[in-house]
Amino acid sequence: MSDLLRTWLTEELGLPISDNLERDFASGYLFGQLFSKYNLQPDAEHFDAKRMPDSMINNYTRLQPTFNKLGVQLDTRVANMLIREELGVAPRLLYSIKQNLASIQKTLTKFQHTGNLGRTMGATVSPSRGLLEAQKHNTNKEKYESSAHRHFEDMLRIQAANPNVVMESMHLSKFTDEGLRQQREALATLLRERAQHVAQRDTFRAGQMDRMHSGRSDKAQKLARDDAIHAALLKRKEEMEREELRVELALSEKARRKKLEELHHAALDVQGGIDAFEINMKRLVRGDTGEGEEVLAPPAGKTPLEHMEQMKSRAAATAKLLEDTAAYMRGVKDARADDIASKREREARRRKMVVEQQAAAANAERKAQMEALVTALQRQSYEEQRLAARLWQVSQEKEVMRENRLLRERQYAERREKDWEETLRREVELHRSMREAYEAEAALEMEAWRAAQQARAEAKAAKHAAFARDIAYQLVGLAERAAEYRSSTGNLVPRREWRQWLTMFVTADPALAPPAPLQGAAAAAEAENREASLRLGRALVGDYLACAGDWVRTEGPIGHDELLGQVVGDLAIISREPPPQPELPAVENLPLRIAVVGAPFSGKTSVAQELARKYRLHLLDPEALVAEAMAAAQEYEAAAGMSAANAPMTLPPAAAKAPSLAPPASGDGTGDGGAEGEGAATPALPSVKARLGAQIAAALQAGGEVPDSAMVGLVVQGMKDAKEYTPPVIVDPKAKPKAPAKPGTAAAAAKGAPPPAPAGNECRGFVVDGFPRTAAQAMLLERMLTGLDLDAEQQLIDSASTIAPPPPNALPQVGRPLVSGMDAVVVCSLTDPEVALKRALGRRLDPTTGRVYHLEFDPPPANDPGLSARLREVADASNDAQQIQHRLAAHSELASALDDWLRRFSRLRRPVEGSGPLNEVLGSASDIADGLLRAKTAAASCRSAAEAAHKARTSAEQAQEFAELAQSAAESAARELLTAKKAEIQAAALLSSGKNPDPAAAEVLKAQAAAKCAEQLKVARGAVSDANSHAERAATSAAAAAEAVDRAHKSLGDAEVSAHAETEAAAAATEAEKAARGAQEAANKAVAAKEAAALAASEAERLATATEVPTEAAITFTRQQTMSAAPESPALISTGDAAAAATAADGDAAEGDAPLAPQPPSLPRELAATLLTEWQTLESGYLEGLSLGFASLADQHAAAQRHFEALRQSFRELLQRPDEKPALVARFLTAFNAVEADMRGSKESRGELLLRCEELRDQLWALCDRKMEEAEAQRAAIAADSFVADHCATLGQQFVALAQVEGDRFAASLNFLRSHTHSKWAPLFAPREPPPLPDVSAPDLLYGGVPAELKDKIDPKSKAYVQMPPWVAQLEQRAPPLALACKLLLALARTVQTGWEPVPEDPKKAKREATTSSKTAKGKGKGGEEEAEGPTDPRVVEAMTQELLGGCGREVAILESRLALLAERCLGQMDEIYALATGTTAKLGDWVRARYRAECAAVAALDKVSKAAAAAGQQLPHDLQLQDEYLLLDEGALLVDPAPSLPRPEPREGQPPGGLLSTKQLGALTAAFLSAAPGGFMRLQDAADMLCRLAAEGSLPDPWRMASVNNMLNALRLYDPLFSTYLDWRELVVHLVVAAFPLIARADCADMADQIDICAEVDKDGDGLLSQDEWSTAELWFQYRAAQPGARSGLPERDGPASESRRERSELEGHGHTPGDGESWPDPSAMQLPSTPPVDDGQYDSPGALKQVLWALFSTASDGAPRLDYRACLLYLCADRDAFAGIKKAFSVVTADISSNARADADQVFQIAYPLGDEAGADLNRSPFSYDDVAAVVKAVWESRSAPPPPPPPAAGRGSAPFGARGAGLAALSASTADPTVTAEQLMYSAAGERFVKRMLDRYAWKDAFVATRL
């Protein structure tokens, strides 16, 4: 605001402004310059810029009128604050000026173009002083404003500071600044010390951290060194193992080389053998010559052949070669044998030698060992011992090294175990801290949720309370009306008025609350009353039509015209446009259709996912569907170049024939030919998902939410897609993979085909996650699934006709049990919102594994180090606490409506408790799904049973047909047999009765007849056999159908789980039962046919054996319909009888098959709409006429009530009018008491007085007689008034108007019925028209005349007279107009009914018309031009006539009943008016007689009193008054003055010594302060001036007169520790009171706490405020101590400790404390209870007067009555010479604790600092500490002193030790609470509370103001 003001002042106005606005505007000069800029200060040149008091007074005096006219308050207080440069005053004033100037400017801108000049030239007007003055229209205030201006100037001059004082203040300002500087330095020093302390603490903490880090580094180095040693040992071990491995490798290499050497030697041996063999071969080839090499070489000059021959010739002979070879081989073998033998010999010798060498070596070794042993034994020396010791030492060292290594390994293991445990401990600690933070956050959010819930509950409760309050007011108004009516009339409220008032109560009519005025209403309320009357009339229409309420008939309700109701209902159905039916998804065949809804975080998603996984369902997530739809919309827009929302719904015809997308064009852009654009691609239509996605995107871009229609459409589309959804294939891990098929086989050929869906992977349905969320979504979803539209059904019900309602079955039943398109809606409830908050806030994500844990319900494992540190909060919008609360609140608001909707469906809502464990929740949901599957299975079983029953019925019906065919065959065979038998008998008779009988021919004829009979008999028997088989088959089928019905009934129980399955199962069971009944009937008919066939066969058997058969005999078979009727035997009857029977049967058949009358076609929709509009117009006019009529009747009745009430009221006023009796009584009393007292004792005087009493009595009785005669005359005039007759005549006219409405309805209804009937049957009369009927019109009944056509109908002497009902004669005697109207309407009704009846035709005329029509038809037939038009079907005419007559008859009956009802009600209301008039007259008579008796009784009582006084010779001391019928004895009005009592001197208060003030002076000082500063704060200078003035006037003690203003000002500065230049004058007065009454300061903490209890006891309402009576009742401590001995002299008590109180004594006695050594307790029985001295004992009640001073000092007006805050008063009285003691007493006051170590919280400390609140001193810098600052101080002290201090040492008194312990206990208890609390000692002696105590609690240190004035 400061920057805005500076910009306005400097840039817009150009005023010189510095950084200090208060200093710039202190003189008022700049205010004048500011106003001069706006032409508001014409005398701106007279302003002075000096900062002297005279200049400032001049400036503000001139500014004050401008401020007032501008609407800104500027009084002396504000001016002084501006002059003193108080912070914030000048900116606030400038801001108000700117606002008002802107408002004026805006007003001028609004109306600146309203005048001619503004319209023509666009001139504007700026604010000026003239405009401000022109705004003041009240000229009477000019004098007041001028006087206020003068008063402002005078007060400003009075309150202005003395220039000398100003100069002195300016001179002392440097000292003040120096004080402020020292305070700032002290504060800076304190802050610097605190900073040093913080720095030292940080340095110490840094050193500790460094030591901790160095320790950690040393520990790490030691661990590293140990790890290095361990690594070296491991390396040494590895080297040793490597050396051993090298030795082993060397040995293996040596063995390998040795083996290779042996192999080499063997190879050399083999090579040598081969070489020897080759040499031998060469030697053999050379032969004897020995020149083999030369022989092999071919000689020169020879061919190879020759050389070969030569070689052959040289070669030895073959035999020789063989022999040589054999010899050689023998030699070789011999050599080999010799070699073997020699080798064996050599080996034997070698072995022997080796054995000998080994034995020698063994002997030598044994010998050497013996020698070595002997040598070793002989050479036992010190070296061997030393070596043994060294070996032992080495072995010990090895053992120690091994133990050390084991120890080190064990230490390493322990260290690792300890590190692991430490890691786990840190993990547990981190998890615990996370858990605590989570629980704290959850608790905070739960508190916020509870607060929000409480706020919502309070708002709801307030709303309900307001509604209940309105209802209560309405009930009170209703009761007042009833009571007023009963009190005025003496009767119960009639039903009509009561129903009217109830209607007003139901409609919340505001006119009900106050009683309606009984006399004339104002013109402004006339229209409202008329509307209320119309509402009442409309409410009474229903009673009238239903014959309820005042219209009850003994015969029962009249009812409605059912024919008209059917007609109107049919017209409404025909004319109604069929609503567009949505395309319903065919999802009813899916096994499971489930939706999961519920509260947030109740497990909906988990349940939906589990159901989808377990039951192979298609999971529908609304959010995912929305995302997919928006993606589809974007894809379509990218592909088609247009939004899916703007795409056409259907393709154009040309595009529809062409493919949706044309093939892409070639790369060169040329085509094969064709017109341009032929190859252009036609964009495909967007999918449903794309369209919905476009709608959603548009709604979201517009800033809205997803539309319910689009969301439901997406879900329904997902349900449609669920039919083609294929769940993921479940692969059995145990199944072995099949080998690949060989190429060329059928399996390989089928490999390319798509694999078939494995069994069990078909879609089982769908489950919707978290949808629907609202009742609107659920309704829309149900509408799109099943077409259910309850709103349309309700609209259809509401639009139904009132006077002709359709049949009940024609209207939909909204309350019927509904069946949903879903199988179940699983509702996961969550009763405790805390669980939802915890589930949301406790989720944590492991970014490494991606798993989500929950800190409470699924905690992370504790044995995974680092997991808790890795966990992060789930970055999800649903994890936001505010979002969770919004979702919970939204769910709590929407859940009830959704539950109500779901409960309307049968077994749709399936609740699941979501707060339990997850396994239980999932198990409950699975149980629901299993139950639904079982129900579907049961429904399928019922359907299969129904199909089986239908098949059995078909089979039974077929068997029945075959059995009936067999029956027909048997009957036909019997008839044939009868015919053959008769022919045989006739032929035999002819052959035997002729002239030439032929026995042979007769025998032949008999044989032929017998053969034919046998043949027919065989046929009959076969038919019987067939009938038996077919009957058995029908029985079997019936049994199968019955079995199917049993199966269906057994399956019904399982189907009850699902409403849909139950409906299907019930329908299937019903169908099965129907089929079973049909099968049973067919079986019964088949059995009957079988029996009939058997009868026919038996008859055939009888006829076959019969010898004689009558010639006229015939067989008649009776068909049996059921088995219950016994089959009758076929009878042989004569031929004539048979013919007659056949003729009769044919006649019956002809009569039964006669064709019905043709039915009329349906009316066209346009014609039906026209007729329906006609009926609606008729009905609205009828209802409106009834409403107006009933409203008029109600107005007439109310007028009658008001008339009689006015009569009663005027008569009551007549009876209560004043008369001369009070004047007569007054004159009598004056004359009676005027008789002298000494004369009253004489006999003559008493007789004279008694005579005057009798004369007065006679005069008063004469007045009573005259008043009674006048009242009786007035009552007779009222009784003779013609109001009742006039009202009854008006009432009759009102009922005539109602009869006119009924007549109009009757005529219009008949005309409508005629129009509808003619329109309905007209097509059957074509091309002719139906016979016309005249229009029916009702006569004008209000005119009073009789139409000519009805005159004869109502004349009893006329032949055409219509017989009238008997009630017409009774009505004619009392209401002739209404009787005439009823007669006319009844005559009209009977005439119309007679006119509509068909007239019997004349036979001759009919014959002539038939002849004429036949001739006309022949003529047209000869011409061949046109066909003859046939006459209308008489059945059509008859049907139409019957319909008209039926409707007319019902309307006539309704009209007659309605007229009778109106007549009855009219006579009833007339009787009511007569009864009301008679009752009123009788009531007035009762009033007159009762009034007369009461007045006479009062006169008699007056006479008795006056005669008694006269007989006793006494005066009448009290005033006697005759008021109405009562005699009043006014004891307060004394006619005789009482004897004066002796005066009693009042006690006087002595003047205290020195400068102390008396209670009177304290009261005067308080009154002066209250008059000058009622707010409680006053400027120091003003207070000093006022005190000096009071001292000079004598209102203060004489020593105060010597104090100057400066001394007084310096003394008052003691009460301004904040240097605000203001003082709390109540604090000053209290300190003066304490100085005058030392007993006040002697109170201790226990006394102050006791005083709180005493005041609380007298505080009846418990609000902390005392009334004056309660304050006077409360006994303060200085009252009862003032009455104790020695109190007047100021001596302390000797019998007990000074701090002992009643509460202490009671508590000490309760704790069993006994006096110790040296202690003496006073005897309670010997003590005199302290009390306030009585006022009349001659002593001045100083404590009582002091209480009155305190009442004046601290009482404030609250709701008009002054009240005193006793806690604030006691806080002021806590002032003590010891500031610490005063503060402790203040702590005891606010806490009501008697201990000196009472603990107070922030609220109580704030009350100690501001006993009367901080509002009054907020603007005066007297409230430097806000509540938050005080709370911060208390918290800082509490944190620094969190441990409770030790109890103080026991004092000398006996009550100190126990109460010290008790105080310490209370302190410990308070310290253990959650809120920070402190004691007085902690607050005073802590650095955090030092400044607060110094500045705010200085009031509790008592200061002697009088002594301060002497310093």
Side-chain angles (χ1 to χ4, degrees), residues 619-631 689 714:
L619 180 61
L620 299 178
D621 186 2
E623 296 180 358
L625 292 176
V626 169
E628 293 175 2
M630 295 179 67
K689 186 178 294 186
L714 285 177

Side-chain angles (χ1 to χ4, degrees), residues 34 41 54 219 221 284 475 685 744 939 1240 1396 1699 1701 1908:
L34 188 151
Q41 195 70 37
D54 293 336
K219 186 176 181 180
Q221 291 177 2
L284 291 176
L475 287 174
L685 291 176
R1240 290 181 181 273
W1396 282 17
S1699 63
S1701 62

Side-chain angles (χ1 to χ4, degrees), residues 789-1032:
D789 192 354
L790 295 181
D791 295 336
E793 295 180 0
Q794 187 62 42
Q795 184 179 2
L796 181 62
I797 295 174
D798 295 339
S799 63
S801 176
T802 303
I803 61 177
N809 55 359
L811 294 177
Q813 302 297 324
V814 181
R816 66 186 184 278
L818 305 178
V819 178
S820 173
M822 302 287 292
D823 289 335
V825 176
V826 180
V827 181
C828 299
S829 59
L830 203 60
T831 56
D832 190 2
E834 185 176 2
V835 178
L837 287 171
K838 287 185 175 181
R839 288 181 178 178
L841 298 176
R843 297 188 300 166
R844 296 296 184 268
L845 172 65
D846 184 3
T848 304
T849 61
R851 181 178 176 182
V852 178
Y853 297 94
H854 195 280
L855 296 178
E856 182 176 357
F857 304 113
D858 186 15
N863 57 354
D864 188 358
L867 176 59
S868 298
R870 293 198 310 269
L871 293 179
R872 298 291 182 268
E873 292 187 1
V874 178
D876 189 1
S878 61
N879 206 38
D880 187 8
Q882 297 294 332
Q883 185 70 17
I884 298 167
Q885 293 195 6
H886 289 319
R887 291 175 62 186
L888 288 175
H891 174 74
S892 63
E893 294 175 359
L894 301 175
S896 59
L898 180 59
D899 279 352
D900 293 341
W901 171 256
L902 295 178
R903 293 178 192 277
R904 296 191 62 180
F905 292 87
S906 178
R907 288 183 290 279
L908 177 63
R909 183 180 181 274
R910 306 299 177 90
V912 172
E913 180 58 40
S915 59
L918 182 60
N919 295 332
E920 296 182 1
V921 176
L922 298 180
S924 300
S926 300
D927 294 341
I928 294 172
D930 293 337
L932 292 175
L933 291 177
R934 288 193 299 270
K936 294 294 183 70
T937 304
S941 176
C942 288
R943 288 196 298 270
S944 62
E947 294 175 359
H950 279 293
K951 292 181 181 179
R953 178 181 180 179
T954 304
S955 177
E957 289 176 350
Q958 291 179 357
Q960 172 200 348
E961 293 176 359
F962 291 147
E964 290 177 351
L965 291 177
Q967 175 189 357
S968 301
E971 293 175 352
S972 177
R975 290 191 183 93
E976 291 292 337
L977 185 58
L978 177 60
T979 303
K981 198 66 174 176
K982 287 196 296 183
E984 176 191 355
I985 294 172
Q986 290 176 1
L990 289 175
L991 291 178
S992 61
S993 62
K995 296 180 179 180
N996 299 316
D998 189 357
E1003 292 297 331
V1004 172
L1005 182 60
K1006 287 181 179 181
Q1008 292 177 355
K1012 189 173 183 179
C1013 289
E1015 182 181 358
Q1016 294 301 325
L1017 188 59
K1018 182 179 180 181
V1019 171
R1021 291 172 179 171
V1024 171
S1025 177
D1026 294 341
N1028 288 332
S1029 63
H1030 293 316
E1032 291 176 359

Side-chain angles (χ1 to χ4, degrees), residues 286-307:
R286 280 197 306 266
D288 296 337
T289 59
E291 298 176 356
E293 295 181 1
E294 291 79 0
V295 175
L296 292 175
K302 289 187 179 181
T303 62
L305 185 59
E306 294 177 353
H307 181 66

Side-chain angles (χ1 to χ4, degrees), residues 176 623 631 1107 1135 1434 1530 1578 1766 1831 1885:
T176 304
E623 296 180 358
T1107 56
T1135 305
D1530 190 358
M1578 193 174 184
Y1766 63 85
Y1885 300 112

Side-chain angles (χ1 to χ4, degrees), residues 57 405 442 590 1078 1260 1310 1338 1516 1565 1709:
I57 292 173
R405 184 171 64 253
L590 294 176
L1260 294 177
L1310 291 184
L1516 293 173
L1565 181 61
E1709 294 172 0

Side-chain angles (χ1 to χ4, degrees), residues 584-669:
L584 302 180
V587 297
E588 61 275 0
N589 294 328
L590 294 176
L592 286 178
R593 297 164 296 171
I594 302 176
V596 184
V597 299
F601 294 96
S602 59
K604 302 186 298 296
T605 304
S606 300
V607 170
Q609 292 176 354
E610 176 65 16
L611 292 177
R613 181 195 64 80
K614 185 175 181 180
Y615 297 98
R616 319 293 294 162
L617 303 179
H618 183 29
L619 180 61
L620 299 178
D621 186 2
E623 296 180 358
L625 292 176
V626 169
E628 293 175 2
M630 295 179 67
Q634 293 177 359
E635 291 178 1
Y636 179 81
E637 185 175 359
M642 62 185 302
S643 175
N646 301 328
M649 298 300 295
T650 58
L651 289 175
K657 296 179 180 179
S660 61
L661 291 175
S666 59
D668 55 359

Side-chain angles (χ1 to χ4, degrees), residues 233-277:
L233 292 176
L234 292 178
K235 185 177 180 181
R236 176 62 179 168
K237 184 177 180 180
E238 290 178 357
E239 290 178 354
M240 292 175 63
E241 292 177 354
R242 190 180 300 109
E243 183 67 21
E244 292 176 357
L245 180 61
R246 186 180 61 78
V247 172
E248 291 180 359
L249 290 177
L251 294 176
S252 62
E253 181 66 20
K254 182 177 179 180
R256 186 181 66 80
R257 289 183 178 181
K258 183 176 180 181
K259 187 175 182 179
L260 289 177
E261 186 176 358
E262 292 177 354
L263 292 176
H264 179 64
H265 289 299
L268 291 179
D269 293 340
V270 171
Q271 185 66 29
I274 293 173
D275 293 342
F277 177 73

